[in-house]
Amino acid sequence: DTAVSQTPKYLVTQMGNDKSIKCEQNLGHDTMYWYKQDSKKFLKIMFSYNNKELIINETVPNRFSPKSPDKAHLNLHINSLELGDSAVYFCASSPYQETQYFGPGTRLLVL
Amino acid sequence: AQKITQTQPGMFVQEKEAVTLDCTYDTSDQSYGLFWYKQPSSGEMIFLIYQGSYDEQNATEGRYSLNFQKARKSANLVISASQLGDSAMYFCAMREASGGYQKVTFGTGTKLQVIP
């Protein structure tokens, strides 16, 4: 039933590790997004894919690499994790140029 | 310049009263969209209401209405008959064209607390 799902919900890891967050949507939407919400609740777009093609790539360190194996999935891989990467990461999806629907978020804590 | 400005970091409202959360925006696009999202303490982002720049009527969804004043570039959210469950962060957002694609920018949020 879940429209936009993310795994894992919580991720605690050591500095320097590599981790991935997965996102899946069953809404049939063409466009998917990754957002980062920092400790002050500021929400900023990182990436956007439309039909598996990268269309928005904000100023994000190269350590972050999105991958969209198909229209329903958009994964986020993070290399060499740093303390400042600790945040909540939200996946979202939308029909092209319409309202975005968010996943539950992944709370990443880098120690 | 900020694309989306929410000037109220925090608001209190008495249960059953109405409350207005302010949002102003800045764009040179003619076609754009404005959204409000709710984020309760559990963390999920819940879509509340949408207003397109060409919509002549103010959007309404149940107890939520969007007071759209295009000339003033404001898109305030009005919550009528506040309930305890309305206590949450509220984010205003705008979709506009960016490099041929649509991009959404969020405001800094307003924390609403409903008092019994």
mmCIF file with all atom_site columns, all heavy atoms in Angstrom, chain A residues 19-32:
data_model
loop_
_atom_site.group_PDB
_atom_site.id
_atom_site.type_symbol
_atom_site.label_atom_id
_atom_site.label_alt_id
_atom_site.label_comp_id
_atom_site.label_asym_id
_atom_site.label_entity_id
_atom_site.label_seq_id
_atom_site.pdbx_PDB_ins_code
_atom_site.Cartn_x
_atom_site.Cartn_y
_atom_site.Cartn_z
_atom_site.occupancy
_atom_site.B_iso_or_equiv
_atom_site.pdbx_formal_charge
_atom_site.auth_seq_id
_atom_site.auth_comp_id
_atom_site.auth_asym_id
_atom_site.auth_atom_id
_atom_site.pdbx_PDB_model_num
ATOM 1   N N   . LYS A 1 19 ? 27.626 3.934  2.339   1.00 0.00 ? 19 LYS A N   1
ATOM 2   C CA  . LYS A 1 19 ? 26.290 3.411  2.623   1.00 0.00 ? 19 LYS A CA  1
ATOM 3   C C   . LYS A 1 19 ? 25.348 3.762  1.480   1.00 0.00 ? 19 LYS A C   1
ATOM 4   O O   . LYS A 1 19 ? 25.580 4.725  0.742   1.00 0.00 ? 19 LYS A O   1
ATOM 5   C CB  . LYS A 1 19 ? 25.725 3.994  3.922   1.00 0.00 ? 19 LYS A CB  1
ATOM 6   C CG  . LYS A 1 19 ? 26.402 3.481  5.177   1.00 0.00 ? 19 LYS A CG  1
ATOM 7   C CD  . LYS A 1 19 ? 26.127 2.013  5.405   1.00 0.00 ? 19 LYS A CD  1
ATOM 8   C CE  . LYS A 1 19 ? 26.851 1.517  6.637   1.00 0.00 ? 19 LYS A CE  1
ATOM 9   N NZ  . LYS A 1 19 ? 26.743 0.052  6.787   1.00 0.00 ? 19 LYS A NZ  1
ATOM 10  N N   . SER A 1 20 ? 24.249 3.006  1.383   1.00 0.00 ? 20 SER A N   1
ATOM 11  C CA  . SER A 1 20 ? 23.218 3.268  0.379   1.00 0.00 ? 20 SER A CA  1
ATOM 12  C C   . SER A 1 20 ? 21.856 3.368  1.022   1.00 0.00 ? 20 SER A C   1
ATOM 13  O O   . SER A 1 20 ? 21.567 2.694  2.022   1.00 0.00 ? 20 SER A O   1
ATOM 14  C CB  . SER A 1 20 ? 23.179 2.137  -0.654  1.00 0.00 ? 20 SER A CB  1
ATOM 15  O OG  . SER A 1 20 ? 24.329 2.145  -1.449  1.00 0.00 ? 20 SER A OG  1
ATOM 16  N N   . ILE A 1 21 ? 21.035 4.220  0.447   1.00 0.00 ? 21 ILE A N   1
ATOM 17  C CA  . ILE A 1 21 ? 19.630 4.343  0.846   1.00 0.00 ? 21 ILE A CA  1
ATOM 18  C C   . ILE A 1 21 ? 18.795 4.033  -0.398  1.00 0.00 ? 21 ILE A C   1
ATOM 19  O O   . ILE A 1 21 ? 19.089 4.532  -1.493  1.00 0.00 ? 21 ILE A O   1
ATOM 20  C CB  . ILE A 1 21 ? 19.293 5.757  1.341   1.00 0.00 ? 21 ILE A CB  1
ATOM 21  C CG1 . ILE A 1 21 ? 20.253 6.200  2.440   1.00 0.00 ? 21 ILE A CG1 1
ATOM 22  C CG2 . ILE A 1 21 ? 17.859 5.801  1.848   1.00 0.00 ? 21 ILE A CG2 1
ATOM 23  C CD1 . ILE A 1 21 ? 20.103 7.665  2.831   1.00 0.00 ? 21 ILE A CD1 1
ATOM 24  N N   . LYS A 1 22 ? 17.767 3.195  -0.190  1.00 0.00 ? 22 LYS A N   1
ATOM 25  C CA  . LYS A 1 22 ? 16.952 2.804  -1.338  1.00 0.00 ? 22 LYS A CA  1
ATOM 26  C C   . LYS A 1 22 ? 15.589 3.487  -1.281  1.00 0.00 ? 22 LYS A C   1
ATOM 27  O O   . LYS A 1 22 ? 15.041 3.725  -0.203  1.00 0.00 ? 22 LYS A O   1
ATOM 28  C CB  . LYS A 1 22 ? 16.765 1.288  -1.354  1.00 0.00 ? 22 LYS A CB  1
ATOM 29  C CG  . LYS A 1 22 ? 18.052 0.551  -1.565  1.00 0.00 ? 22 LYS A CG  1
ATOM 30  C CD  . LYS A 1 22 ? 17.832 -0.940 -1.740  1.00 0.00 ? 22 LYS A CD  1
ATOM 31  C CE  . LYS A 1 22 ? 19.154 -1.615 -2.042  1.00 0.00 ? 22 LYS A CE  1
ATOM 32  N NZ  . LYS A 1 22 ? 19.005 -3.056 -2.269  1.00 0.00 ? 22 LYS A NZ  1
ATOM 33  N N   . CYS A 1 23 ? 15.050 3.766  -2.451  1.00 0.00 ? 23 CYS A N   1
ATOM 34  C CA  . CYS A 1 23 ? 13.726 4.394  -2.547  1.00 0.00 ? 23 CYS A CA  1
ATOM 35  C C   . CYS A 1 23 ? 12.942 3.726  -3.665  1.00 0.00 ? 23 CYS A C   1
ATOM 36  O O   . CYS A 1 23 ? 13.468 3.501  -4.769  1.00 0.00 ? 23 CYS A O   1
ATOM 37  C CB  . CYS A 1 23 ? 13.864 5.880  -2.817  1.00 0.00 ? 23 CYS A CB  1
ATOM 38  S SG  . CYS A 1 23 ? 12.245 6.704  -3.015  1.00 0.00 ? 23 CYS A SG  1
ATOM 39  N N   . GLU A 1 24 ? 11.687 3.441  -3.358  1.00 0.00 ? 24 GLU A N   1
ATOM 40  C CA  . GLU A 1 24 ? 10.802 2.845  -4.354  1.00 0.00 ? 24 GLU A CA  1
ATOM 41  C C   . GLU A 1 24 ? 9.442  3.535  -4.305  1.00 0.00 ? 24 GLU A C   1
ATOM 42  O O   . GLU A 1 24 ? 8.954  3.847  -3.223  1.00 0.00 ? 24 GLU A O   1
ATOM 43  C CB  . GLU A 1 24 ? 10.615 1.355  -4.071  1.00 0.00 ? 24 GLU A CB  1
ATOM 44  C CG  . GLU A 1 24 ? 9.651  0.668  -5.019  1.00 0.00 ? 24 GLU A CG  1
ATOM 45  C CD  . GLU A 1 24 ? 9.480  -0.806 -4.714  1.00 0.00 ? 24 GLU A CD  1
ATOM 46  O OE1 . GLU A 1 24 ? 10.097 -1.301 -3.756  1.00 0.00 ? 24 GLU A OE1 1
ATOM 47  O OE2 . GLU A 1 24 ? 8.707  -1.455 -5.432  1.00 0.00 ? 24 GLU A OE2 1
ATOM 48  N N   . GLN A 1 25 ? 8.851  3.787  -5.477  1.00 0.00 ? 25 GLN A N   1
ATOM 49  C CA  . GLN A 1 25 ? 7.496  4.339  -5.495  1.00 0.00 ? 25 GLN A CA  1
ATOM 50  C C   . GLN A 1 25 ? 6.609  3.475  -6.391  1.00 0.00 ? 25 GLN A C   1
ATOM 51  O O   . GLN A 1 25 ? 7.050  3.000  -7.434  1.00 0.00 ? 25 GLN A O   1
ATOM 52  C CB  . GLN A 1 25 ? 7.495  5.811  -5.963  1.00 0.00 ? 25 GLN A CB  1
ATOM 53  C CG  . GLN A 1 25 ? 8.163  6.076  -7.293  1.00 0.00 ? 25 GLN A CG  1
ATOM 54  C CD  . GLN A 1 25 ? 7.235  6.173  -8.464  1.00 0.00 ? 25 GLN A CD  1
ATOM 55  O OE1 . GLN A 1 25 ? 6.008  6.056  -8.318  1.00 0.00 ? 25 GLN A OE1 1
ATOM 56  N NE2 . GLN A 1 25 ? 7.781  6.395  -9.655  1.00 0.00 ? 25 GLN A NE2 1
ATOM 57  N N   . ASN A 1 26 ? 5.383  3.273  -5.932  1.00 0.00 ? 26 ASN A N   1
ATOM 58  C CA  . ASN A 1 26 ? 4.428  2.453  -6.691  1.00 0.00 ? 26 ASN A CA  1
ATOM 59  C C   . ASN A 1 26 ? 3.269  3.296  -7.216  1.00 0.00 ? 26 ASN A C   1
ATOM 60  O O   . ASN A 1 26 ? 2.165  2.796  -7.421  1.00 0.00 ? 26 ASN A O   1
ATOM 61  C CB  . ASN A 1 26 ? 3.921  1.284  -5.826  1.00 0.00 ? 26 ASN A CB  1
ATOM 62  C CG  . ASN A 1 26 ? 3.174  1.759  -4.586  1.00 0.00 ? 26 ASN A CG  1
ATOM 63  O OD1 . ASN A 1 26 ? 2.919  2.950  -4.417  1.00 0.00 ? 26 ASN A OD1 1
ATOM 64  N ND2 . ASN A 1 26 ? 2.825  0.833  -3.718  1.00 0.00 ? 26 ASN A ND2 1
ATOM 65  N N   . LEU A 1 27 ? 3.560  4.579  -7.431  1.00 0.00 ? 27 LEU A N   1
ATOM 66  C CA  . LEU A 1 27 ? 2.526  5.503  -7.886  1.00 0.00 ? 27 LEU A CA  1
ATOM 67  C C   . LEU A 1 27 ? 2.532  5.680  -9.399  1.00 0.00 ? 27 LEU A C   1
ATOM 68  O O   . LEU A 1 27 ? 1.682  6.393  -9.932  1.00 0.00 ? 27 LEU A O   1
ATOM 69  C CB  . LEU A 1 27 ? 2.721  6.867  -7.205  1.00 0.00 ? 27 LEU A CB  1
ATOM 70  C CG  . LEU A 1 27 ? 2.571  6.848  -5.693  1.00 0.00 ? 27 LEU A CG  1
ATOM 71  C CD1 . LEU A 1 27 ? 3.132  8.131  -5.069  1.00 0.00 ? 27 LEU A CD1 1
ATOM 72  C CD2 . LEU A 1 27 ? 1.119  6.672  -5.303  1.00 0.00 ? 27 LEU A CD2 1
ATOM 73  N N   . GLY A 1 28 ? 3.523  5.099  -10.056 1.00 0.00 ? 28 GLY A N   1
ATOM 74  C CA  . GLY A 1 28 ? 3.610  5.263  -11.504 1.00 0.00 ? 28 GLY A CA  1
ATOM 75  C C   . GLY A 1 28 ? 4.116  6.632  -11.930 1.00 0.00 ? 28 GLY A C   1
ATOM 76  O O   . GLY A 1 28 ? 3.920  7.040  -13.073 1.00 0.00 ? 28 GLY A O   1
ATOM 77  N N   . HIS A 1 29 ? 4.745  7.346  -11.000 1.00 0.00 ? 29 HIS A N   1
ATOM 78  C CA  . HIS A 1 29 ? 5.249  8.692  -11.308 1.00 0.00 ? 29 HIS A CA  1
ATOM 79  C C   . HIS A 1 29 ? 6.498  8.640  -12.177 1.00 0.00 ? 29 HIS A C   1
ATOM 80  O O   . HIS A 1 29 ? 7.259  7.693  -12.136 1.00 0.00 ? 29 HIS A O   1
ATOM 81  C CB  . HIS A 1 29 ? 5.571  9.447  -10.009 1.00 0.00 ? 29 HIS A CB  1
ATOM 82  C CG  . HIS A 1 29 ? 4.354  9.795  -9.222  1.00 0.00 ? 29 HIS A CG  1
ATOM 83  N ND1 . HIS A 1 29 ? 4.423  10.201 -7.901  1.00 0.00 ? 29 HIS A ND1 1
ATOM 84  C CD2 . HIS A 1 29 ? 3.041  9.824  -9.546  1.00 0.00 ? 29 HIS A CD2 1
ATOM 85  C CE1 . HIS A 1 29 ? 3.207  10.461 -7.458  1.00 0.00 ? 29 HIS A CE1 1
ATOM 86  N NE2 . HIS A 1 29 ? 2.352  10.235 -8.451  1.00 0.00 ? 29 HIS A NE2 1
ATOM 87  N N   . ASP A 1 30 ? 6.657  9.722  -12.968 1.00 0.00 ? 30 ASP A N   1
ATOM 88  C CA  . ASP A 1 30 ? 7.815  9.787  -13.869 1.00 0.00 ? 30 ASP A CA  1
ATOM 89  C C   . ASP A 1 30 ? 9.057  10.353 -13.193 1.00 0.00 ? 30 ASP A C   1
ATOM 90  O O   . ASP A 1 30 ? 10.166 10.111 -13.636 1.00 0.00 ? 30 ASP A O   1
ATOM 91  C CB  . ASP A 1 30 ? 7.493  10.706 -15.057 1.00 0.00 ? 30 ASP A CB  1
ATOM 92  C CG  . ASP A 1 30 ? 6.429  10.125 -15.947 1.00 0.00 ? 30 ASP A CG  1
ATOM 93  O OD1 . ASP A 1 30 ? 6.404  8.891  -16.111 1.00 0.00 ? 30 ASP A OD1 1
ATOM 94  O OD2 . ASP A 1 30 ? 5.618  10.904 -16.482 1.00 0.00 ? 30 ASP A OD2 1
ATOM 95  N N   . THR A 1 31 ? 8.861  11.163 -12.173 1.00 0.00 ? 31 THR A N   1
ATOM 96  C CA  . THR A 1 31 ? 9.974  11.934 -11.611 1.00 0.00 ? 31 THR A CA  1
ATOM 97  C C   . THR A 1 31 ? 10.197 11.562 -10.147 1.00 0.00 ? 31 THR A C   1
ATOM 98  O O   . THR A 1 31 ? 9.247  11.419 -9.380  1.00 0.00 ? 31 THR A O   1
ATOM 99  C CB  . THR A 1 31 ? 9.677  13.444 -11.728 1.00 0.00 ? 31 THR A CB  1
ATOM 100 O OG1 . THR A 1 31 ? 9.252  13.735 -13.054 1.00 0.00 ? 31 THR A OG1 1
ATOM 101 C CG2 . THR A 1 31 ? 10.923 14.263 -11.421 1.00 0.00 ? 31 THR A CG2 1
ATOM 102 N N   . MET A 1 32 ? 11.465 11.385 -9.800  1.00 0.00 ? 32 MET A N   1
ATOM 103 C CA  . MET A 1 32 ? 11.828 11.081 -8.414  1.00 0.00 ? 32 MET A CA  1
ATOM 104 C C   . MET A 1 32 ? 12.928 12.030 -7.958  1.00 0.00 ? 32 MET A C   1
ATOM 105 O O   . MET A 1 32 ? 13.678 12.570 -8.772  1.00 0.00 ? 32 MET A O   1
ATOM 106 C CB  . MET A 1 32 ? 12.279 9.621  -8.283  1.00 0.00 ? 32 MET A CB  1
ATOM 107 C CG  . MET A 1 32 ? 11.157 8.636  -8.588  1.00 0.00 ? 32 MET A CG  1
ATOM 108 S SD  . MET A 1 32 ? 11.614 6.914  -8.318  1.00 0.00 ? 32 MET A SD  1
ATOM 109 C CE  . MET A 1 32 ? 11.644 6.824  -6.513  1.00 0.00 ? 32 MET A CE  1
#
